[in-house]
Structures are given as C-alpha cells and as structure tokens.
C-alpha cells in the first residue's frame, strides 16, 4: 500500500516537473497535429461543416504510440478533405469522459447530416492502418452536391440556377455519360463542404453522347468540364480551364465564391460562442463535451483486426482522390 502511494506521488511529481515539455508527447511539435480542448471542441469540431476526425489518446498508451505514425500519415492524405486532430485525455479528462471514451486509442468522425443539418459522431472500428483510417474519413463526407439532369431524374437546370434566390454563384460539373452511375467524387464533396453557403454545387450527366446538355455547355461528351454561373446580374458563365486538382480548383472558387457565407446558422452560433465571457465558457464546459456523445448519432463499422497495428512511419503519396 505504502509503495503504491509512493509510486503515485513520484509519478505526479514527474508530471509537474516535465509536464510543460511533454504536453503532447505522442506527437512531436514538428508534426503540427492540432489538439482540441474543452474550450475549442465546440467551435472546432461541433460548430463546423467540415468532417472532423478526432483521436482520443493517452501519451503513455502503447497502442497509441504504435498507431500515431499511421494517424499522422492519414492527416496528410486528408488535407483539404477532412479536418484531423487529437485530444490528450490525460489533460482533457472530462471531455474524453463525456465522449464515452473508456480505452485508448479511440477515433471518432464528426460530420454533418445533409438532411437534418445536425452533427453526427461515428466511432471508428477498423484496423489501425493509414488507408483504413483515410477511407473511413472520406466515406463520412456529406454530399451537398445537387444531382442535375437536362431532362428527368434530377433537379432541372433552370430550377438549380434559381436556387438561393439567385444570390449565390453556382458551380456545375458536366460529366460524360460513362460517369452517369458513379457516385459523387470525393474531391467535389470536399469542395462543396468547404464552400457551403458561398457556392451552390451541382453535377449533370447526359443520358447519351448526343444529349443536348453537352451542346448547351459546349462540352465534348467524353470530357468532364467545370463551370461557374455567377449570381444573377454578376456576369456571364465562366469555364474552368485548369487541372482537376484541389489547389487550382480552390483558387478558381475563391475568385468566384461569395465573400461571406449566406445563411450559415451553425457558423454564426460558433462566432457568438467564441465572443462570450470566460464565465459563460466555464458554465458550458460539460455541455460542450457532452455534445460529443449525447447529442450525436452513432454508426457501426467493420470490427477491428487485433493484429493490425502501424509500427513504421508510412510513406506519404499524393492523394488518389483528386478527380471529378
């Protein structure tokens, strides 16, 4: 009993002496891994449109140390697609408890349900590999891209142009008939999330190569083309002539998107919360963290492989999901 008490006191003293230098011991300062806290969880995770991946860990956890290189690699692969961060449960015990964390490591994805517009939490239950974690996050990208059709089967183009009272620019992706049955591309989903309330996104596919939609847009039916239709009275339709890559597409959207979001209630609430007094933040601590478990839905994924762990730092390759 005395030895146990002495050991605990010794460990506590170590924490006091070295706590400042080992704040996020699992990740080096060079890694730049974002860490969420009680005061930032609501604004950074719950009050955003972005799909957000959160690793709940303890610095002393062996499995966490094995998994951290794969998780860092996933963050790099998901750049521009999903926000990736972590929570040190030794420092944020209440936040982790309210999220229902009982062991380590735990990964959860938080995303917005396109129909209810509420945030949803899903616990990851796959193997601890970079690819599996990356795919898990990409599969939780909500789809804010409206399916369009020149004829039937989707929203009519004229109706699409009139959306949002014509106050927001529209981006239209014209795809060849061969892609008619394919799901919306991950890149397009990610762009629609980040520019939500600033640009309305849609994609149209002709039923056949001779469909009038290709003549209307002046596009060869074998090609994929991107257009921006400015808000009413703001100019003519603009065709994108750059590469189908994330960086140039974002530069194109930045030039044509509304400067400020229109109708984003979640962002406005987050703004009010960040400007509140320290007393208000203190009172709302438990409510902020509780949103991680009680105010969100859950899903079930494939069960994890107990033998699959990442022990070597994975090589980072260019994302394979840059396509429309």
């Amino acid at each position: 009993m005395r030895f146990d008490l002495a050991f605990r006191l010794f460990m506590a003293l170590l924490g006091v002496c070295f706590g400042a230098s080992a704040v996020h011991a699992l990740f080096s300062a060079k890694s730049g891994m974002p860490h969420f806290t009680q005061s930032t969880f609501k604004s950074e995770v719950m009050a955003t449109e972005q799909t957000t991946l959160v690793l709940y860990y303890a610095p002393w956890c062996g499995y966490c140390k094995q998994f951290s290189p794969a998780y860092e690699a996933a963050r790099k692969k998901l750049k521009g697609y999903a926000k990736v961060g972590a929570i040190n449960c030794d420092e944020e015990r209440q936040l982790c408890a309210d999220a229902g964390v009982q062991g380590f490591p735990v990964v959860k994805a938080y995303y917005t349900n396109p129909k209810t517009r509420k945030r949803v939490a899903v616990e990851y239950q796959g193997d601890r590999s970079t690819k599996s974690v990356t795919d898990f996050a990409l599969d939780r990208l909500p789809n804010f891209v409206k399916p369009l059709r020149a004829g039937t089967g989707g929203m009519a183009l004229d109706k699409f142009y009139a959306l949002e009272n014509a106050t927001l620019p529209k981006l239209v992706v014209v795809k060849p008939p061969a892609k008619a049955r394919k799901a919306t591309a991950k890149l397009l989903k990610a762009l629609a999330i980040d520019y939500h309330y600033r640009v309305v996104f849609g994609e149209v596919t002709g039923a056949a190569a001779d469909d009038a939609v290709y003549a209307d847009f002046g596009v060869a039916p074998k090609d994929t083309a991107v257009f921006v239709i400015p808000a009413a009275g703001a100019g003519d339709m603009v065709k994108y002539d750059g590469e189908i890559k994330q960086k140039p597409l974002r530069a194109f959207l930045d030039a044509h998107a509304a400067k400020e979001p229109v109708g984003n209630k979640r962002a406005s609430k987050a703004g009010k919360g960040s400007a509140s007094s320290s007393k208000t933040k203190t009172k709302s601590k438990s409510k902020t963290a509780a949103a991680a478990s009680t105010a969100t839905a859950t899903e079930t994924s494939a069960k994890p492989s107990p033998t699959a762990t990442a022990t070597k730092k994975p090589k980072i390759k260019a994302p394979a999901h840059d396509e429309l």
Side-chain angles (χ1 to χ4, degrees):
M1 180 68 74
R2 288 182 180 179
F3 174 79
D4 182 59
L5 179 60
F7 179 75
R8 290 188 182 186
L9 288 172
F10 174 70
M11 294 303 292
L13 284 171
L14 280 180
V16 171
C17 294
F18 300 105
S21 62
V23 172
H24 301 310
L26 195 67
F27 300 99
S28 66
K30 187 179 179 181
S31 76
M33 178 66 69
H35 276 70
F36 307 121
T37 65
Q38 187 79 63
S39 62
T40 64
F41 185 83
K42 182 176 181 180
S43 61
E44 293 292 325
V45 178
M46 300 305 293
T48 178
E49 292 294 326
Q50 286 183 304
T51 294
T52 305
L53 211 60
V54 180
L55 167 65
Y56 294 86
Y57 76 92
W60 45 262
C61 165
Y63 290 117
C64 301
K65 292 176 182 178
Q66 290 178 339
F67 178 47
S68 61
Y71 191 73
E72 285 192 73
R75 181 172 72 93
K76 293 176 182 178
K77 283 183 172 291
L78 289 167
K79 184 178 180 181
Y81 290 84
K83 185 187 297 185
V84 180
I87 295 176
N88 183 338
C89 290
D90 271 7
E91 296 178 351
E92 302 293 337
R93 295 186 180 184
Q94 188 60 55
L95 186 59
C96 295
D98 288 341
V101 176
Q102 297 181 339
F104 307 106
V106 170
V107 175
K108 291 191 178 187
Y110 298 82
Y111 68 96
T112 301
N113 184 311
K115 294 182 179 180
T116 65
R117 299 299 171 96
K118 293 182 179 180
R119 294 293 274 177
V120 180
V122 188
E123 184 169 334
Y124 175 65
Q125 296 183 1
D127 63 70
R128 297 176 188 144
S129 68
T130 298
K131 184 181 185 305
S132 294
V133 173
T134 301
D135 289 345
F136 170 73
L138 291 173
D139 287 343
R140 267 72 193 176
L141 294 177
N143 192 358
F144 294 118
V145 182
K146 301 185 183 300
L148 310 175
R149 293 291 182 274
T152 60
M155 181 181 289
L157 283 167
D158 289 344
K159 185 178 179 181
F160 174 71
Y161 296 151
L163 285 175
E164 306 295 339
N165 297 320
T167 57
L168 287 178
K170 314 294 187 295
L171 180 137
V172 177
V173 177
V174 182
K175 302 192 300 184
K179 293 187 176 182
R181 295 183 180 276
K182 290 190 176 182
T184 301
K186 309 293 186 186
L187 176 58
L188 191 57
K189 284 184 179 181
L191 292 173
I193 292 168
D194 288 352
Y195 289 87
H196 202 199
Y197 302 107
R198 294 179 60 203
V199 178
V200 183
F201 283 69
E203 57 182 346
V204 60
T205 306
D210 59 353
D211 198 299
V213 68
Y214 299 112
D216 291 344
F217 281 93
V219 175
K222 63 180 179 60
D223 298 329
T224 296
V226 179
F227 296 87
V228 161
I229 296 92
D236 298 327
M237 181 170 66
V238 181
K239 183 179 180 181
Y240 172 71
D241 292 322
E243 288 184 285
I244 303 299
K245 298 289 184 183
Q246 186 177 161
K247 188 174 181 180
L249 277 167
R250 286 182 181 276
F252 177 70
L253 283 163
D254 285 340
H256 297 283
K259 300 304 178 186
E260 297 293 333
V262 177
N264 187 354
K265 295 180 180 179
R266 181 177 289 113
S268 62
K269 287 180 181 179
K272 291 179 182 178
S274 62
S276 61
S277 66
S278 59
K279 285 185 178 180
T280 303
K281 288 182 179 179
T282 302
K283 290 179 180 179
S284 62
K285 277 186 176 181
S286 61
K287 291 182 180 179
T288 301
S293 56
T294 59
T296 54
T298 56
E299 293 180 7
T300 303
S301 306
K303 291 187 177 180
S305 168
T307 58
T309 56
T311 56
K312 295 182 179 180
K313 192 171 183 177
K315 294 181 179 180
I316 307 299
K317 296 181 180 179
H321 25 270
D322 271 7
E323 60 177 23
L324 297 180

